[in-house]
Amino acid sequence: MPDITREEVAHLADLARIDLSDAELDHLAPQLAVILDSIKSISEVAADDVPPTSHALPLTNVFREDEVRPGLTAEEALSGAPEVEQQRFSVPRILGEEA
Amino acid sequence: MSDLTRRTAAELADALAAGDTTSAEITEAHLARIEDVDGSVHAFLHVDAEGALAAARAADERRAAGRPASALDGVPIAVKDILTTVGLPTTCGSKILEGWVPPYDATVVARLKDAGLPILGKTNMDEFAMGSSTEHSAYGPTRNPWDLDRIPGGSGGGSAAAVAAFEAPLAIGTDTGGSIRQPGAVTGTVGVKPTFGGVSRYGLVALANSLDQAGPVTRTILDSALLHEVIGGHDPRDSTSIDQPLPALVDAARQGSSGDMSGVRIGVVKELGGEGYQAGVRARFDESVQLLVDAGATVVEVSCPSFVHALAAYYLILPSEASSNLAKFDAMRYGLRVLPDGVENPSAEEVMRASRDAGFGDEVKRRIILGTYALSSGYYDAYYGQAQKVRTLISRDFEAAFGQVDVLVSPTAPTTAFRLGEKVDDPVSMYLNDIATIPANLAGVPGLSLPSGLADEDGLPAGFQILAPAMADDRLYRVGAALETLLTKKWGGALLENAPELQGSAR
């Protein structure tokens, strides 16, 4: 398995929507390489015929009755919003300037 | 009555039932203790004196009317800052949630309120529960009451330290890879991770959905059992909640406290001990096992060969789930919003990037990036897919082991509390603290840690871990209570009586 490079860390941070400064990249990239190195043995452990487990409990499709229950009011739902306008979440522009 | 803070929750409940004291007195005593020592310990991120006292007065009225809401009605509690609380900030130890006051209560919190337990405040933690020392809190570390220059464990160091420092008789923790049990071990307290699905996760800010579990943090086994029965049981608001009644936990703790272990089969996990474990931790563990043998238990060594891969599997599964869970912190609906420097009219995505950089600490960034890597298409099979297979192998090891024995035991953590700052920038060394606790989370089985004594080389507490099959949490309490009785008898009192007296002053 290849080592993780500084460029890859920058790309992954980009995918995860985190702006990392150059100083942070210098700091985090070598640490991530060490972490990955410590866990790479995992690729040789389990044989092909071992089924994967995603969850400790073998539960599937938990249903409930389709009945109305009290939920949050609009005020409650908006109470933590960074910005509110006309009982809505107010967000920065989502399209390009020209669009 | 200054000694109210020294009593166990069960003793306080008895005193309340007998009319010897009031919840208001008990709650005031703990608030005074927090005022006195929390400047040194920093177990709390928020203290809610007013709310706790109002709840205490309501509890006293119920008691006076002969209608207590539960056995613990009026006994105060501290809650880890990862569970949502109406009217009280919930930060998860992160800047990204600074000042956020949730509009709903977690089910665990709602059950505490229904049972009449006044909530003293919210306890410190590693940011989003990522860590083993509480040093990754954005609000500064918690200190270990045994030695203020040492870590209290993590992520739930605040809850463990609050209980160890007699700031609260009870606390709630959450355990994803050991965050209840490892702090319990290094602070000389008791911590229980219930069976996955045994306690509702509704309102528990998710780190890793398939691993997270809330549970009791206390000074005695019986107190944990009492609290576990309050918070546990089915919750339709959590789709992974087990729809079965809890086993009789308090009964099991009372039965175990006789100290009789006749007929109990105990397996010592070969892979969780030996090399890498501090000599004093091993010595206290071996002595504890011998006490159980002397009390009638049958002890055998059990091998769980796949456990050696648990840490690697965990550090792929956890970051993968965490990177997905923490995507919701997008600066749009709640939490921190930061505008990028020098950008005029920034886009939502630019604001999101700047906010996540400013709001998340180093460890959170490391794990988000690691998870993003493990889940990316070229590496998915080699990493995440393999980790899920290892998870199967670990569950099979547990199944085979529990075919031979009733419970498994090991040291809880490989070492006693290390010094603040010692491992904060060495992630792999930090991760090794959870090497003995992680297998239980991966398999969903319950685990308990109780103090086994003080290590000879440093005089600091060591922990003894007990693991049981899923939904057999009662076995933890039976064996735990027996060992607690035997050790307390040997020591001539509770281990925490040996902790240094904290000076009532801010550092």
Side-chain angles (χ1 to χ4, degrees), chain A residues 7-74:
Chain A
E7 287 65 39
E8 278 178 294
V9 172
H11 175 63
L12 291 163
D14 192 49
L15 290 175
R17 304 287 185 267
I18 302 175
D19 270 342
L20 289 184
S21 65
D22 281 347
E24 282 181 305
L25 276 172
D26 290 342
H27 184 63
L28 295 177
Q31 290 177 337
L32 285 162
V34 172
I35 296 171
L36 275 178
D37 190 54
S38 74
I39 57 184
K40 70 181 176 196
S41 63
I42 194 117
S43 60
E44 290 126 39
V45 179
D48 288 343
D49 59 349
V50 176
T53 298
S54 62
H55 226 271
L57 284 179
L59 290 174
T60 45
N61 295 343
V62 177
F63 295 107
R64 68 165 173 86
E65 292 305 309
D66 184 17
E67 52 196 27
V68 177
R69 292 186 198 173
L72 298 179
T73 63

Side-chain angles (χ1 to χ4, degrees), chain B residues 257-283:
Chain B
S257 65
S258 70
D260 181 16
M261 284 281 93
S262 310
V264 177
R265 297 169 303 163
I266 295 173
V268 175
V269 183
K270 185 178 150 209
E271 287 75 12
L272 304 180
E275 203 190 328
Y277 288 73
Q278 191 179 320
V281 170
R282 277 167 22 204

